């Protein structure tokens, strides 16, 4: 669906934008879960906004992000559209590559209905 495409494109685009040189996508699918992990080697999600990710009009005070960061509108829209299609999202700092980690999950029945 266009919502899923937009949402995934937003989070993959953010990983590319904030990464130093690596972005890793992990896909997992079985009868219990469909999961996409988007992992990068950038500065990660700043502490001052980690609990607000997905809200519109947020801006970190982090100097590492000030050049690349916006107001969180793309993340808000991507998260909202994916959740409307049954996804559950979580955001983490210090991923496997040292940067941000976005985890997007669906139950297969919710994803097929999307």
């Amino acid at each position: 669906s266009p919502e899923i495409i937009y949402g995934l494109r937003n989070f993959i685009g953010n990983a590319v934008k904030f990464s130093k040189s690596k972005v890793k996508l992990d896909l997992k699918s079985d009868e219990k879960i469909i999961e996409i992990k988007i992992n990068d080697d950038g500065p990660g999600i700043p502490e001052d906004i980690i609990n607000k990710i997905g809200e519109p009009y947020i801006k970190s005070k982090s100097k590492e992000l000030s050049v690349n960061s916006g107001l969180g509108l793309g993340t808000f829209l991507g998260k909202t559209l994916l959740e409307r299609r049954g996804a559950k999202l979580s955001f983490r700092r210090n991923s496997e590559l040292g940067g941000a980690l976005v985890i997007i999950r669906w139950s297969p029945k919710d994803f097929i209905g999307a």
Side-chain angles (χ1 to χ4, degrees):
S1 76
E3 295 91 348
I4 292 173
I5 292 168
Y6 178 91
L8 293 176
R9 185 182 305 159
N10 176 74
F11 290 112
I12 294 167
N14 279 349
V16 169
K17 180 167 106 173
F18 289 104
S19 71
K20 294 174 190 166
S21 64
K22 293 181 184 174
V23 173
K24 180 180 178 187
L25 299 176
D26 290 311
L27 307 171
K28 173 184 172 183
S29 176
D30 60 29
E31 65 278 348
K32 296 178 186 174
I33 194 165
I34 296 168
E35 179 179 81
I36 301 170
K37 291 182 179 179
I38 305 166
N39 196 341
D40 69 63
D41 67 348
I45 302 167
E47 288 289 339
D48 64 337
I49 64 167
I50 187 73
N51 294 323
K52 297 177 185 176
I53 290 289
E55 295 177 17
Y57 304 110
I58 58 171
K59 189 153 178 80
S60 173
K61 294 177 178 35
S62 169
K63 291 184 180 14
E64 286 185 300
L65 297 181
S66 61
V67 173
N68 287 332
S69 67
L71 297 173
L73 294 176
T75 299
F76 166 73
L77 289 172
K79 180 178 182 284
T80 300
L81 291 171
L82 289 171
E83 286 175 342
R84 284 186 181 174
R85 292 302 189 178
K88 305 275 189 266
L89 285 83
S90 58
F91 304 90
R92 305 228 173 96
R93 289 180 47 83
N94 302 322
S95 67
E96 173 188 335
L97 296 178
L101 172 62
V102 178
I103 303 169
I104 306 164
R105 292 184 177 113
W106 288 270
S107 73
K109 67 177 178 61
D110 290 337
F111 187 79
I112 291 169

PDB file of all heavy atoms in Angstrom, residues 29-47:
ATOM      1  N   SER A  29      10.302 -12.921   8.632  1.00  0.00           N
ATOM      2  CA  SER A  29       8.903 -13.231   8.405  1.00  0.00           C
ATOM      3  C   SER A  29       8.671 -14.703   8.710  1.00  0.00           C
ATOM      4  O   SER A  29       9.393 -15.567   8.229  1.00  0.00           O
ATOM      5  CB  SER A  29       8.536 -12.935   6.952  1.00  0.00           C
ATOM      6  OG  SER A  29       7.213 -13.313   6.698  1.00  0.00           O
ATOM      7  N   ASP A  30       7.683 -14.962   9.523  1.00  0.00           N
ATOM      8  CA  ASP A  30       7.247 -16.332   9.776  1.00  0.00           C
ATOM      9  C   ASP A  30       5.755 -16.284  10.077  1.00  0.00           C
ATOM     10  O   ASP A  30       5.112 -15.253   9.865  1.00  0.00           O
ATOM     11  CB  ASP A  30       8.072 -17.011  10.885  1.00  0.00           C
ATOM     12  CG  ASP A  30       8.008 -16.308  12.234  1.00  0.00           C
ATOM     13  OD1 ASP A  30       6.982 -15.654  12.541  1.00  0.00           O
ATOM     14  OD2 ASP A  30       8.973 -16.413  13.005  1.00  0.00           O
ATOM     15  N   GLU A  31       5.197 -17.367  10.575  1.00  0.00           N
ATOM     16  CA  GLU A  31       3.745 -17.394  10.808  1.00  0.00           C
ATOM     17  C   GLU A  31       3.314 -16.514  11.974  1.00  0.00           C
ATOM     18  O   GLU A  31       2.138 -16.204  12.125  1.00  0.00           O
ATOM     19  CB  GLU A  31       3.254 -18.835  11.017  1.00  0.00           C
ATOM     20  CG  GLU A  31       3.786 -19.528  12.248  1.00  0.00           C
ATOM     21  CD  GLU A  31       5.183 -20.118  12.086  1.00  0.00           C
ATOM     22  OE1 GLU A  31       5.691 -20.212  10.959  1.00  0.00           O
ATOM     23  OE2 GLU A  31       5.766 -20.481  13.116  1.00  0.00           O
ATOM     24  N   LYS A  32       4.278 -16.051  12.802  1.00  0.00           N
ATOM     25  CA  LYS A  32       3.942 -15.241  13.976  1.00  0.00           C
ATOM     26  C   LYS A  32       4.192 -13.753  13.804  1.00  0.00           C
ATOM     27  O   LYS A  32       3.537 -12.941  14.447  1.00  0.00           O
ATOM     28  CB  LYS A  32       4.744 -15.723  15.186  1.00  0.00           C
ATOM     29  CG  LYS A  32       4.430 -17.129  15.612  1.00  0.00           C
ATOM     30  CD  LYS A  32       5.298 -17.541  16.767  1.00  0.00           C
ATOM     31  CE  LYS A  32       5.074 -19.020  17.082  1.00  0.00           C
ATOM     32  NZ  LYS A  32       5.992 -19.495  18.097  1.00  0.00           N
ATOM     33  N   ILE A  33       5.164 -13.380  12.956  1.00  0.00           N
ATOM     34  CA  ILE A  33       5.554 -11.977  12.886  1.00  0.00           C
ATOM     35  C   ILE A  33       6.181 -11.624  11.534  1.00  0.00           C
ATOM     36  O   ILE A  33       6.814 -12.459  10.903  1.00  0.00           O
ATOM     37  CB  ILE A  33       6.545 -11.626  14.024  1.00  0.00           C
ATOM     38  CG1 ILE A  33       6.688 -10.115  14.160  1.00  0.00           C
ATOM     39  CG2 ILE A  33       7.882 -12.287  13.816  1.00  0.00           C
ATOM     40  CD1 ILE A  33       7.352  -9.686  15.452  1.00  0.00           C
ATOM     41  N   ILE A  34       5.962 -10.394  11.140  1.00  0.00           N
ATOM     42  CA  ILE A  34       6.696  -9.784  10.036  1.00  0.00           C
ATOM     43  C   ILE A  34       7.445  -8.619  10.674  1.00  0.00           C
ATOM     44  O   ILE A  34       6.827  -7.762  11.320  1.00  0.00           O
ATOM     45  CB  ILE A  34       5.759  -9.285   8.928  1.00  0.00           C
ATOM     46  CG1 ILE A  34       5.024 -10.472   8.298  1.00  0.00           C
ATOM     47  CG2 ILE A  34       6.537  -8.494   7.880  1.00  0.00           C
ATOM     48  CD1 ILE A  34       3.874 -10.072   7.411  1.00  0.00           C
ATOM     49  N   GLU A  35       8.748  -8.605  10.519  1.00  0.00           N
ATOM     50  CA  GLU A  35       9.556  -7.603  11.214  1.00  0.00           C
ATOM     51  C   GLU A  35      10.613  -7.025  10.279  1.00  0.00           C
ATOM     52  O   GLU A  35      11.279  -7.754   9.554  1.00  0.00           O
ATOM     53  CB  GLU A  35      10.230  -8.238  12.422  1.00  0.00           C
ATOM     54  CG  GLU A  35      11.121  -7.308  13.210  1.00  0.00           C
ATOM     55  CD  GLU A  35      11.740  -8.006  14.394  1.00  0.00           C
ATOM     56  OE1 GLU A  35      12.752  -8.721  14.192  1.00  0.00           O
ATOM     57  OE2 GLU A  35      11.204  -7.868  15.497  1.00  0.00           O
ATOM     58  N   ILE A  36      10.744  -5.721  10.323  1.00  0.00           N
ATOM     59  CA  ILE A  36      11.787  -5.011   9.576  1.00  0.00           C
ATOM     60  C   ILE A  36      12.581  -4.196  10.584  1.00  0.00           C
ATOM     61  O   ILE A  36      12.007  -3.418  11.352  1.00  0.00           O
ATOM     62  CB  ILE A  36      11.175  -4.082   8.510  1.00  0.00           C
ATOM     63  CG1 ILE A  36      10.332  -4.890   7.532  1.00  0.00           C
ATOM     64  CG2 ILE A  36      12.281  -3.296   7.797  1.00  0.00           C
ATOM     65  CD1 ILE A  36       9.508  -4.047   6.586  1.00  0.00           C
ATOM     66  N   LYS A  37      13.905  -4.397  10.582  1.00  0.00           N
ATOM     67  CA  LYS A  37      14.798  -3.608  11.432  1.00  0.00           C
ATOM     68  C   LYS A  37      15.655  -2.735  10.525  1.00  0.00           C
ATOM     69  O   LYS A  37      16.286  -3.231   9.594  1.00  0.00           O
ATOM     70  CB  LYS A  37      15.702  -4.500  12.274  1.00  0.00           C
ATOM     71  CG  LYS A  37      14.966  -5.273  13.336  1.00  0.00           C
ATOM     72  CD  LYS A  37      15.944  -6.093  14.168  1.00  0.00           C
ATOM     73  CE  LYS A  37      15.211  -6.858  15.251  1.00  0.00           C
ATOM     74  NZ  LYS A  37      16.154  -7.670  16.057  1.00  0.00           N
ATOM     75  N   ILE A  38      15.659  -1.443  10.821  1.00  0.00           N
ATOM     76  CA  ILE A  38      16.460  -0.477  10.061  1.00  0.00           C
ATOM     77  C   ILE A  38      17.504   0.072  11.030  1.00  0.00           C
ATOM     78  O   ILE A  38      17.166   0.716  12.017  1.00  0.00           O
ATOM     79  CB  ILE A  38      15.576   0.649   9.490  1.00  0.00           C
ATOM     80  CG1 ILE A  38      14.442   0.049   8.648  1.00  0.00           C
ATOM     81  CG2 ILE A  38      16.428   1.630   8.677  1.00  0.00           C
ATOM     82  CD1 ILE A  38      13.339   1.016   8.316  1.00  0.00           C
ATOM     83  N   ASN A  39      18.763  -0.213  10.717  1.00  0.00           N
ATOM     84  CA  ASN A  39      19.870   0.009  11.627  1.00  0.00           C
ATOM     85  C   ASN A  39      20.912   0.872  10.916  1.00  0.00           C
ATOM     86  O   ASN A  39      21.200   0.641   9.748  1.00  0.00           O
ATOM     87  CB  ASN A  39      20.426  -1.395  11.918  1.00  0.00           C
ATOM     88  CG  ASN A  39      21.311  -1.493  13.094  1.00  0.00           C
ATOM     89  OD1 ASN A  39      21.844  -0.516  13.573  1.00  0.00           O
ATOM     90  ND2 ASN A  39      21.500  -2.719  13.536  1.00  0.00           N
ATOM     91  N   ASP A  40      21.475   1.880  11.596  1.00  0.00           N
ATOM     92  CA  ASP A  40      22.514   2.694  10.957  1.00  0.00           C
ATOM     93  C   ASP A  40      23.685   2.947  11.909  1.00  0.00           C
ATOM     94  O   ASP A  40      23.595   2.667  13.101  1.00  0.00           O
ATOM     95  CB  ASP A  40      21.940   4.014  10.432  1.00  0.00           C
ATOM     96  CG  ASP A  40      21.508   4.971  11.522  1.00  0.00           C
ATOM     97  OD1 ASP A  40      22.366   5.407  12.310  1.00  0.00           O
ATOM     98  OD2 ASP A  40      20.316   5.311  11.563  1.00  0.00           O
ATOM     99  N   ASP A  41      24.762   3.467  11.350  1.00  0.00           N
ATOM    100  CA  ASP A  41      25.968   3.743  12.147  1.00  0.00           C
ATOM    101  C   ASP A  41      26.149   5.236  12.424  1.00  0.00           C
ATOM    102  O   ASP A  41      27.253   5.708  12.647  1.00  0.00           O
ATOM    103  CB  ASP A  41      27.218   3.170  11.468  1.00  0.00           C
ATOM    104  CG  ASP A  41      27.568   3.866  10.164  1.00  0.00           C
ATOM    105  OD1 ASP A  41      26.726   4.646   9.643  1.00  0.00           O
ATOM    106  OD2 ASP A  41      28.670   3.629   9.654  1.00  0.00           O
ATOM    107  N   GLY A  42      25.051   5.970  12.414  1.00  0.00           N
ATOM    108  CA  GLY A  42      25.104   7.403  12.685  1.00  0.00           C
ATOM    109  C   GLY A  42      25.161   7.704  14.172  1.00  0.00           C
ATOM    110  O   GLY A  42      25.471   6.829  14.993  1.00  0.00           O
ATOM    111  N   PRO A  43      24.826   8.932  14.553  1.00  0.00           N
ATOM    112  CA  PRO A  43      24.925   9.347  15.954  1.00  0.00           C
ATOM    113  C   PRO A  43      23.846   8.749  16.855  1.00  0.00           C
ATOM    114  O   PRO A  43      23.937   8.843  18.077  1.00  0.00           O
ATOM    115  CB  PRO A  43      24.801  10.864  15.878  1.00  0.00           C
ATOM    116  CG  PRO A  43      24.048  11.119  14.616  1.00  0.00           C
ATOM    117  CD  PRO A  43      24.468  10.021  13.670  1.00  0.00           C
ATOM    118  N   GLY A  44      22.834   8.145  16.297  1.00  0.00           N
ATOM    119  CA  GLY A  44      21.760   7.569  17.106  1.00  0.00           C
ATOM    120  C   GLY A  44      20.702   8.610  17.418  1.00  0.00           C
ATOM    121  O   GLY A  44      20.807   9.774  17.044  1.00  0.00           O
ATOM    122  N   ILE A  45      19.691   8.184  18.120  1.00  0.00           N
ATOM    123  CA  ILE A  45      18.592   9.074  18.496  1.00  0.00           C
ATOM    124  C   ILE A  45      18.993   9.765  19.802  1.00  0.00           C
ATOM    125  O   ILE A  45      19.310   9.095  20.785  1.00  0.00           O
ATOM    126  CB  ILE A  45      17.283   8.280  18.680  1.00  0.00           C
ATOM    127  CG1 ILE A  45      16.938   7.529  17.386  1.00  0.00           C
ATOM    128  CG2 ILE A  45      16.149   9.220  19.085  1.00  0.00           C
ATOM    129  CD1 ILE A  45      15.856   6.481  17.544  1.00  0.00           C
ATOM    130  N   PRO A  46      18.972  11.078  19.824  1.00  0.00           N
ATOM    131  CA  PRO A  46      19.394  11.798  21.027  1.00  0.00           C
ATOM    132  C   PRO A  46      18.511  11.491  22.235  1.00  0.00           C
ATOM    133  O   PRO A  46      17.299  11.286  22.091  1.00  0.00           O
ATOM    134  CB  PRO A  46      19.276  13.271  20.638  1.00  0.00           C
ATOM    135  CG  PRO A  46      19.267  13.282  19.153  1.00  0.00           C
ATOM    136  CD  PRO A  46      18.652  11.981  18.732  1.00  0.00           C
ATOM    137  N   GLU A  47      19.125  11.490  23.394  1.00  0.00           N
ATOM    138  CA  GLU A  47      18.406  11.230  24.647  1.00  0.00           C
ATOM    139  C   GLU A  47      17.242  12.188  24.853  1.00  0.00           C
ATOM    140  O   GLU A  47      16.210  11.801  25.385  1.00  0.00           O
ATOM    141  CB  GLU A  47      19.363  11.336  25.844  1.00  0.00           C
ATOM    142  CG  GLU A  47      20.348  10.200  25.954  1.00  0.00           C
ATOM    143  CD  GLU A  47      19.709   8.888  26.375  1.00  0.00           C
ATOM    144  OE1 GLU A  47      18.605   8.878  26.965  1.00  0.00           O
ATOM    145  OE2 GLU A  47      20.315   7.852  26.094  1.00  0.00           O
TER     146      GLU A  47
END
